[in-house]
Amino acid sequence: AQKVTQAQTEISVVEKEDVTLDCVYETRDTTYYLFWYKQPPSGELVFLIRRNSFDEQNEISGRYSWNFQKSTSSFNFTITASQVVDSAVYFCALSEPRSGANSKLTFGKGITLSVRP
Amino acid sequence: AAGVIQSPRHLIKEKRETATLKCYPIPRHDTVYWYQQGPGQDPQFLISFYEKMQSDKGSIPDRFSAQQFSDYHSELNMSSLELGDSALYFCASSLEEATYEQYFGPGTRLTVT
């Protein structure tokens, strides 16, 4: 069964600090996808990134970067020079797409990030 | 670009009433997913449909039913509502051959009083 663990529940930082959000996953499939979503107080789920299990390249997008390590089953997310607008709940999720079935997303419990001015 | 549309955005019902949530997928998307997110919790998968047939089922209560129509829109019907059904309900859509690309709607916030 697939499982996503976000051990950190709440993180508070001061603006301009760097912060890393941890994600550890479990799956028996060799083909899977990992995601990060941001959920601001307004409630919508904002897609940030998708990674497939065959692509271990790290990715950087502006102040955001992701570190995918299959050896440790981790997909960590770093925000550099955090801003108040980064305050939100961040979810890591896993999908095991197989012919339309079992392609649901399994989410971690989420990490509440508070960035103070 | 067109996105997933959910209606209504907010809904207030009393205990034991029924509610119907609607989801209009992105044009040409043939697969729809429903998720329920309780207060302070992570989204939980309820059910999914592909080509109007149920394709997967999660922890959906028996009081809930859902279907996908010929125009691919989907409806989630909830009966005998309980206080614990108060949640944010998300619909997502995808193409069957690219189910890893799920696009989420803005959600319907259901409050049961």
mmCIF file of all heavy atoms in Angstrom, chain A residues 6-33:
data_model
loop_
_atom_site.group_PDB
_atom_site.id
_atom_site.type_symbol
_atom_site.label_atom_id
_atom_site.label_comp_id
_atom_site.label_asym_id
_atom_site.label_seq_id
_atom_site.Cartn_x
_atom_site.Cartn_y
_atom_site.Cartn_z
ATOM 1 N N GLN A 6 4.797 12.959 6.298
ATOM 2 C CA GLN A 6 5.352 14.297 6.492
ATOM 3 C C GLN A 6 5.487 14.471 7.996
ATOM 4 O O GLN A 6 4.522 14.803 8.678
ATOM 5 C CB GLN A 6 4.452 15.365 5.882
ATOM 6 C CG GLN A 6 4.333 15.242 4.365
ATOM 7 C CD GLN A 6 3.438 16.315 3.772
ATOM 8 O OE1 GLN A 6 2.265 16.094 3.512
ATOM 9 N NE2 GLN A 6 4.019 17.472 3.544
ATOM 10 N N ALA A 7 6.660 14.188 8.498
ATOM 11 C CA ALA A 7 6.863 14.133 9.947
ATOM 12 C C ALA A 7 6.717 15.499 10.598
ATOM 13 O O ALA A 7 6.264 15.611 11.737
ATOM 14 C CB ALA A 7 8.232 13.540 10.262
ATOM 15 N N GLN A 8 7.081 16.536 9.909
ATOM 16 C CA GLN A 8 6.931 17.894 10.445
ATOM 17 C C GLN A 8 5.463 18.286 10.332
ATOM 18 O O GLN A 8 4.845 18.078 9.303
ATOM 19 C CB GLN A 8 7.779 18.891 9.646
ATOM 20 C CG GLN A 8 9.245 18.534 9.548
ATOM 21 C CD GLN A 8 9.862 19.084 8.251
ATOM 22 O OE1 GLN A 8 9.315 18.869 7.183
ATOM 23 N NE2 GLN A 8 10.990 19.775 8.353
ATOM 24 N N THR A 9 4.895 18.831 11.382
ATOM 25 C CA THR A 9 3.498 19.260 11.318
ATOM 26 C C THR A 9 3.393 20.769 11.168
ATOM 27 O O THR A 9 2.565 21.264 10.406
ATOM 28 C CB THR A 9 2.723 18.803 12.558
ATOM 29 O OG1 THR A 9 3.422 19.268 13.727
ATOM 30 C CG2 THR A 9 2.625 17.296 12.623
ATOM 31 N N GLU A 10 4.219 21.489 11.926
ATOM 32 C CA GLU A 10 4.204 22.944 11.850
ATOM 33 C C GLU A 10 5.628 23.474 11.851
ATOM 34 O O GLU A 10 6.470 22.998 12.629
ATOM 35 C CB GLU A 10 3.438 23.551 13.031
ATOM 36 C CG GLU A 10 1.963 23.205 13.062
ATOM 37 C CD GLU A 10 1.230 23.906 14.201
ATOM 38 O OE1 GLU A 10 1.732 24.932 14.692
ATOM 39 O OE2 GLU A 10 0.161 23.428 14.597
ATOM 40 N N ILE A 11 5.875 24.435 10.986
ATOM 41 C CA ILE A 11 7.175 25.081 10.932
ATOM 42 C C ILE A 11 6.948 26.591 10.918
ATOM 43 O O ILE A 11 6.090 27.082 10.176
ATOM 44 C CB ILE A 11 7.970 24.676 9.675
ATOM 45 C CG1 ILE A 11 8.230 23.172 9.656
ATOM 46 C CG2 ILE A 11 9.287 25.438 9.607
ATOM 47 C CD1 ILE A 11 8.916 22.692 8.387
ATOM 48 N N SER A 12 7.722 27.296 11.744
ATOM 49 C CA SER A 12 7.624 28.752 11.768
ATOM 50 C C SER A 12 9.007 29.334 11.510
ATOM 51 O O SER A 12 9.976 28.946 12.162
ATOM 52 C CB SER A 12 7.085 29.225 13.118
ATOM 53 O OG SER A 12 6.956 30.635 13.140
ATOM 54 N N VAL A 13 9.100 30.228 10.556
ATOM 55 C CA VAL A 13 10.375 30.866 10.228
ATOM 56 C C VAL A 13 10.161 32.360 10.089
ATOM 57 O O VAL A 13 9.022 32.837 9.971
ATOM 58 C CB VAL A 13 10.972 30.306 8.920
ATOM 59 C CG1 VAL A 13 11.244 28.817 9.050
ATOM 60 C CG2 VAL A 13 10.068 30.586 7.727
ATOM 61 N N VAL A 14 11.258 33.068 10.100
ATOM 62 C CA VAL A 14 11.220 34.503 9.870
ATOM 63 C C VAL A 14 11.496 34.744 8.392
ATOM 64 O O VAL A 14 12.279 34.017 7.767
ATOM 65 C CB VAL A 14 12.260 35.232 10.743
ATOM 66 C CG1 VAL A 14 12.278 36.715 10.435
ATOM 67 C CG2 VAL A 14 11.974 35.001 12.226
ATOM 68 N N GLU A 15 10.861 35.720 7.844
ATOM 69 C CA GLU A 15 11.043 36.060 6.437
ATOM 70 C C GLU A 15 12.527 36.081 6.071
ATOM 71 O O GLU A 15 13.375 36.506 6.869
ATOM 72 C CB GLU A 15 10.425 37.437 6.171
ATOM 73 C CG GLU A 15 9.820 37.583 4.802
ATOM 74 C CD GLU A 15 9.028 38.867 4.638
ATOM 75 O OE1 GLU A 15 9.160 39.764 5.496
ATOM 76 O OE2 GLU A 15 8.287 38.960 3.656
ATOM 77 N N LYS A 16 12.801 35.580 4.870
ATOM 78 C CA LYS A 16 14.132 35.500 4.260
ATOM 79 C C LYS A 16 14.920 34.285 4.721
ATOM 80 O O LYS A 16 16.006 34.034 4.175
ATOM 81 C CB LYS A 16 14.946 36.774 4.476
ATOM 82 C CG LYS A 16 14.322 37.995 3.801
ATOM 83 C CD LYS A 16 15.157 39.246 3.986
ATOM 84 C CE LYS A 16 14.426 40.430 3.359
ATOM 85 N NZ LYS A 16 14.943 41.724 3.825
ATOM 86 N N GLU A 17 14.399 33.539 5.686
ATOM 87 C CA GLU A 17 15.063 32.294 6.059
ATOM 88 C C GLU A 17 14.768 31.235 5.005
ATOM 89 O O GLU A 17 13.741 31.268 4.321
ATOM 90 C CB GLU A 17 14.552 31.787 7.416
ATOM 91 C CG GLU A 17 15.112 32.505 8.621
ATOM 92 C CD GLU A 17 14.650 31.843 9.915
ATOM 93 O OE1 GLU A 17 14.199 30.686 9.881
ATOM 94 O OE2 GLU A 17 14.738 32.501 10.963
ATOM 95 N N ASP A 18 15.674 30.270 4.888
ATOM 96 C CA ASP A 18 15.422 29.107 4.044
ATOM 97 C C ASP A 18 14.717 28.056 4.896
ATOM 98 O O ASP A 18 14.967 27.941 6.096
ATOM 99 C CB ASP A 18 16.735 28.522 3.509
ATOM 100 C CG ASP A 18 17.500 29.512 2.645
ATOM 101 O OD1 ASP A 18 16.917 30.545 2.242
ATOM 102 O OD2 ASP A 18 18.689 29.244 2.362
ATOM 103 N N VAL A 19 13.842 27.281 4.260
ATOM 104 C CA VAL A 19 13.123 26.250 5.010
ATOM 105 C C VAL A 19 12.973 25.015 4.124
ATOM 106 O O VAL A 19 12.728 25.121 2.918
ATOM 107 C CB VAL A 19 11.749 26.760 5.490
ATOM 108 C CG1 VAL A 19 10.887 27.239 4.335
ATOM 109 C CG2 VAL A 19 11.023 25.715 6.305
ATOM 110 N N THR A 20 13.155 23.845 4.720
ATOM 111 C CA THR A 20 13.002 22.584 3.991
ATOM 112 C C THR A 20 11.867 21.780 4.587
ATOM 113 O O THR A 20 11.811 21.565 5.805
ATOM 114 C CB THR A 20 14.301 21.758 4.035
ATOM 115 O OG1 THR A 20 15.330 22.474 3.342
ATOM 116 C CG2 THR A 20 14.110 20.405 3.356
ATOM 117 N N LEU A 21 10.977 21.338 3.713
ATOM 118 C CA LEU A 21 9.839 20.514 4.107
ATOM 119 C C LEU A 21 10.131 19.082 3.687
ATOM 120 O O LEU A 21 10.430 18.819 2.519
ATOM 121 C CB LEU A 21 8.558 21.024 3.425
ATOM 122 C CG LEU A 21 8.284 22.523 3.547
ATOM 123 C CD1 LEU A 21 6.970 22.874 2.858
ATOM 124 C CD2 LEU A 21 8.283 22.983 4.983
ATOM 125 N N ASP A 22 10.043 18.163 4.635
ATOM 126 C CA ASP A 22 10.430 16.778 4.373
ATOM 127 C C ASP A 22 9.236 15.927 3.938
ATOM 128 O O ASP A 22 8.105 16.130 4.386
ATOM 129 C CB ASP A 22 11.044 16.151 5.628
ATOM 130 C CG ASP A 22 12.314 16.863 6.066
ATOM 131 O OD1 ASP A 22 12.987 17.466 5.205
ATOM 132 O OD2 ASP A 22 12.629 16.811 7.267
ATOM 133 N N CYS A 23 9.519 14.961 3.087
ATOM 134 C CA CYS A 23 8.504 14.011 2.637
ATOM 135 C C CYS A 23 9.168 12.662 2.423
ATOM 136 O O CYS A 23 10.160 12.556 1.696
ATOM 137 C CB CYS A 23 7.850 14.496 1.345
ATOM 138 S SG CYS A 23 6.698 13.309 0.609
ATOM 139 N N VAL A 24 8.613 11.646 3.050
ATOM 140 C CA VAL A 24 9.083 10.272 2.872
ATOM 141 C C VAL A 24 7.908 9.441 2.388
ATOM 142 O O VAL A 24 6.794 9.593 2.876
ATOM 143 C CB VAL A 24 9.634 9.702 4.203
ATOM 144 C CG1 VAL A 24 9.976 8.223 4.054
ATOM 145 C CG2 VAL A 24 10.857 10.484 4.654
ATOM 146 N N TYR A 25 8.140 8.580 1.420
ATOM 147 C CA TYR A 25 7.036 7.818 0.844
ATOM 148 C C TYR A 25 7.334 6.322 0.874
ATOM 149 O O TYR A 25 8.492 5.907 0.998
ATOM 150 C CB TYR A 25 6.768 8.277 -0.588
ATOM 151 C CG TYR A 25 7.936 8.063 -1.527
ATOM 152 C CD1 TYR A 25 8.045 6.892 -2.283
ATOM 153 C CD2 TYR A 25 8.943 9.024 -1.634
ATOM 154 C CE1 TYR A 25 9.124 6.690 -3.112
ATOM 155 C CE2 TYR A 25 10.030 8.821 -2.469
ATOM 156 C CZ TYR A 25 10.117 7.658 -3.201
ATOM 157 O OH TYR A 25 11.187 7.459 -4.020
ATOM 158 N N GLU A 26 6.270 5.550 0.759
ATOM 159 C CA GLU A 26 6.378 4.098 0.668
ATOM 160 C C GLU A 26 5.537 3.615 -0.503
ATOM 161 O O GLU A 26 4.379 4.015 -0.650
ATOM 162 C CB GLU A 26 5.858 3.419 1.945
ATOM 163 C CG GLU A 26 6.681 3.666 3.190
ATOM 164 C CD GLU A 26 6.046 3.021 4.411
ATOM 165 O OE1 GLU A 26 5.394 1.969 4.263
ATOM 166 O OE2 GLU A 26 6.185 3.587 5.513
ATOM 167 N N THR A 27 6.099 2.779 -1.317
ATOM 168 C CA THR A 27 5.364 2.190 -2.428
ATOM 169 C C THR A 27 6.036 0.901 -2.850
ATOM 170 O O THR A 27 7.249 0.759 -2.703
ATOM 171 C CB THR A 27 5.295 3.159 -3.627
ATOM 172 O OG1 THR A 27 4.629 2.511 -4.724
ATOM 173 C CG2 THR A 27 6.683 3.599 -4.078
ATOM 174 N N ARG A 28 5.237 -0.025 -3.390
ATOM 175 C CA ARG A 28 5.808 -1.268 -3.902
ATOM 176 C C ARG A 28 5.970 -1.204 -5.415
ATOM 177 O O ARG A 28 6.560 -2.096 -6.010
ATOM 178 C CB ARG A 28 4.901 -2.447 -3.514
ATOM 179 C CG ARG A 28 4.998 -2.794 -2.035
ATOM 180 C CD ARG A 28 4.083 -3.932 -1.672
ATOM 181 N NE ARG A 28 2.686 -3.530 -1.756
ATOM 182 C CZ ARG A 28 1.682 -4.264 -1.277
ATOM 183 N NH1 ARG A 28 1.915 -5.419 -0.708
ATOM 184 N NH2 ARG A 28 0.444 -3.841 -1.387
ATOM 185 N N ASP A 29 5.418 -0.161 -6.023
ATOM 186 C CA ASP A 29 5.511 -0.041 -7.472
ATOM 187 C C ASP A 29 6.847 0.560 -7.888
ATOM 188 O O ASP A 29 7.455 1.325 -7.139
ATOM 189 C CB ASP A 29 4.381 0.857 -7.987
ATOM 190 C CG ASP A 29 3.083 0.084 -8.143
ATOM 191 O OD1 ASP A 29 3.002 -1.049 -7.646
ATOM 192 O OD2 ASP A 29 2.152 0.620 -8.766
ATOM 193 N N THR A 30 7.272 0.213 -9.078
ATOM 194 C CA THR A 30 8.496 0.811 -9.620
ATOM 195 C C THR A 30 8.170 2.077 -10.399
ATOM 196 O O THR A 30 9.039 2.913 -10.616
ATOM 197 C CB THR A 30 9.222 -0.174 -10.551
ATOM 198 O OG1 THR A 30 8.303 -0.613 -11.562
ATOM 199 C CG2 THR A 30 9.716 -1.384 -9.765
ATOM 200 N N THR A 31 6.915 2.192 -10.818
ATOM 201 C CA THR A 31 6.469 3.405 -11.520
ATOM 202 C C THR A 31 5.508 4.163 -10.623
ATOM 203 O O THR A 31 4.461 3.637 -10.256
ATOM 204 C CB THR A 31 5.769 3.046 -12.839
ATOM 205 O OG1 THR A 31 6.655 2.316 -13.672
ATOM 206 C CG2 THR A 31 5.329 4.326 -13.555
ATOM 207 N N TYR A 32 5.878 5.358 -10.287
ATOM 208 C CA TYR A 32 5.023 6.168 -9.421
ATOM 209 C C TYR A 32 5.358 7.635 -9.658
ATOM 210 O O TYR A 32 6.343 7.980 -10.317
ATOM 211 C CB TYR A 32 5.191 5.800 -7.946
ATOM 212 C CG TYR A 32 6.624 5.815 -7.444
ATOM 213 C CD1 TYR A 32 7.188 6.979 -6.918
ATOM 214 C CD2 TYR A 32 7.402 4.661 -7.494
ATOM 215 C CE1 TYR A 32 8.487 6.994 -6.467
ATOM 216 C CE2 TYR A 32 8.718 4.676 -7.047
ATOM 217 C CZ TYR A 32 9.251 5.830 -6.528
ATOM 218 O OH TYR A 32 10.553 5.845 -6.083
ATOM 219 N N TYR A 33 4.477 8.479 -9.136
ATOM 220 C CA TYR A 33 4.656 9.920 -9.271
ATOM 221 C C TYR A 33 4.560 10.565 -7.897
ATOM 222 O O TYR A 33 3.758 10.144 -7.057
ATOM 223 C CB TYR A 33 3.591 10.523 -10.194
ATOM 224 C CG TYR A 33 3.765 10.118 -11.635
ATOM 225 C CD1 TYR A 33 3.263 8.908 -12.108
ATOM 226 C CD2 TYR A 33 4.443 10.943 -12.528
ATOM 227 C CE1 TYR A 33 3.435 8.534 -13.424
ATOM 228 C CE2 TYR A 33 4.611 10.572 -13.845
ATOM 229 C CZ TYR A 33 4.109 9.364 -14.286
ATOM 230 O OH TYR A 33 4.278 8.993 -15.594
#
